[in-house]
Amino acid sequence: MMSNKRIAAVIAAACIGSAATAQGILTAETAAPNTTPGISIISLSEAASKAGIADIQVTAGQTLTNSVQNVAEGKTDIAAAPFILPFLMSRGVGPYAGLGAEAGADLADNLAVLYTYRVSVQGLFVYDSANISGWDGLEGKTIYNGPPRGAALTNARLLTKTVTGLEEGTGYTGVQVNWGQAVKTIQDGSADAFVLPQAFPDPRITAALASGDITVFSMPKDVHEGEAFQKIAKLPGTVRFSMPVAEMGYGDGVTVVSEDDTFRGPATVGGDVVNVNMDFDTAKALTTAFIENIETIYHAKASFMPVTWHGETDPEVTDMCGTNPMKYHPGAVAAWEEAGYTLPDCAK
């Protein structure tokens, strides 16, 4: 059986066609191919080939912490990047503590954005058979909260503490498993509950329904509007998110619990990033290909893609500016502005 990496590479190769029709070869790293970041870069490979810009060799199923560092170091051309990662890198903390502040800041300066999107919305879900009534039922439980290293794990721990006050290791037991084993881990009983990134509808939840009905819990409204969460929403790459339950796209087998038929949570935003040394024309051409194919390629790839904020430039949604250290690549700025969009000066 082929690995997720190999499957993604085959998908990308099928999408981009022959190198004879393109001007060069680029490399890209992203998350699992059925996630927003995974689909985003696979779609970019198709759009770039269609425009004759480049063949993009995509490696999917990666831990984005490593992928972002690879782009900063010039080892990879493009990567999906939740914006919390460049921020942590710029300070040499969290998963980048081994770099130190000075080296981390230097590396973070090497990153530039082509375009942005909502990576996911962090949230809680459980099998109905687990008999967990919501966030208040997590004490002493085992929670699968992401891969061993990355933004998802950091965000899950922070969200759980904000809503429940519980710390991993004392209030609950955390389980970390790489994304390639996510659905298997959800189904095999390794954890009682799951605090994971979600799309709407979420493919991991849909796949896991084979093992039983699932309930998704909104973040409580009072916590979402409270002071502690307002501080979280000011972190780079995090914005407040709400959506009517009726628009989440779930069918039979999934129940969404909310006080007022509105799902709430922290949205993780990011984008596809390149090294600042990518030449102007290539960055511009890639961004133009993205803009021209948002609806025809990106939105057509999965049922959740039309609502992932591809094509948005408002900093209230993109989180470009503020404490986020990221800027658009000059070539990307030119592409956006030629297409009639307005970018905030603080993001250029």
Side-chain angles (χ1 to χ4, degrees):
M1 180 179 293
M2 289 192 294
S3 67
N4 280 343
K5 291 183 184 179
R6 180 59 181 154
I7 292 170
V10 171
I11 292 171
C15 289
I16 63 179
S18 168
T21 63
Q23 297 178 0
I25 296 175
L26 299 173
T27 57
E29 296 182 28
T30 190
N34 63 342
T35 63
T36 300
I39 292 173
S40 184
I41 282 188
I42 290 172
S43 296
L44 180 64
S45 72
E46 185 174 339
S49 179
K50 176 182 173 183
I53 300 163
D55 283 342
I56 302 178
Q57 298 177 344
V58 180
T59 303
Q62 300 302 290
T63 298
L64 297 182
T65 304
N66 301 329
S67 300
V68 171
Q69 184 170 341
N70 286 341
V71 171
E73 293 175 345
K75 298 175 181 177
T76 301
D77 295 307
I78 309 166
F83 287 149
I84 186 64
L85 293 180
F87 173 78
L88 296 174
M89 178 185 286
S90 71
R91 285 158 173 73
V93 296
Y96 301 108
L99 294 174
E102 184 176 353
D106 288 343
L107 279 178
D109 285 343
N110 292 339
L111 298 168
V113 178
L114 297 180
Y115 52 84
T116 67
Y117 48 85
R118 190 183 75 239
V119 176
S120 62
V121 179
Q122 205 84 16
L124 166 68
F125 62 96
V126 302
Y127 279 111
D128 293 358
S129 58
N131 293 317
I132 294 175
S133 59
W135 290 95
D136 58 357
L138 295 182
E139 186 170 7
K141 302 297 185 181
T142 300
I143 301 174
Y144 172 31
N145 52 6
R149 182 172 181 258
L153 177 61
T154 300
N155 290 339
R157 286 170 171 164
L158 184 58
L159 176 61
T160 303
K161 182 178 179 180
T162 301
V163 178
T164 69
L166 300 175
E167 296 266 10
E168 181 174 326
T170 55
Y172 65 92
T173 300
V175 171
Q176 288 85 49
V177 179
N178 287 326
W179 291 130
Q181 298 298 311
V183 174
K184 178 181 180 296
T185 302
I186 293 168
Q187 293 178 306
D188 68 11
S190 298
D192 304 305
F194 317 97
V195 180
L196 297 173
Q198 297 176 35
F200 305 115
D202 188 77
R204 281 191 283 261
I205 291 177
T206 302
L209 284 172
S211 296
D213 291 350
I214 287 174
T215 296
V216 178
F217 293 95
S218 171
M219 188 177 184
K221 183 178 180 180
D222 62 334
V223 179
H224 190 257
E225 296 177 352
E227 183 178 351
F229 185 68
Q230 300 315 306
K231 294 178 181 178
I232 293 176
K234 292 178 181 178
L235 292 172
T238 302
V239 299
R240 293 176 60 180
F241 174 86
S242 63
M243 171 182 277
V245 169
E247 296 178 9
M248 293 174 68
Y250 288 116
D252 294 342
V254 177
T255 302
V256 181
V257 174
S258 167
E259 303 104 308
D260 57 358
D261 296 320
T262 298
F263 179 88
R264 296 176 175 85
T268 299
V269 295
D272 289 341
V273 304
V274 298
N275 194 286
V276 293
N277 291 323
M278 176 176 280
D279 69 86
F280 180 94
D281 289 341
T282 299
K284 180 181 178 183
L286 288 172
T287 307
T288 297
F290 161 74
I291 294 169
E292 292 177 347
N293 289 281
I294 292 173
E295 293 187 5
T296 56
I297 295 180
Y298 285 76
H299 287 178
K301 291 293 184 185
S303 59
F304 57 82
M305 287 295 285
V307 295
T308 51
W309 300 345
H310 283 82
E312 295 289 345
T313 57
D314 182 348
E316 292 295 319
V317 172
T318 67
D319 204 39
M320 294 288 288
C321 298
T323 54
N324 179 12
M326 298 297 292
K327 309 290 185 183
Y328 289 99
H329 190 287
V333 172
W336 282 109
E337 294 183 340
E338 284 188 14
Y341 290 81
T342 299
L343 299 180
D345 289 339
C346 55
K348 298 180 184 179

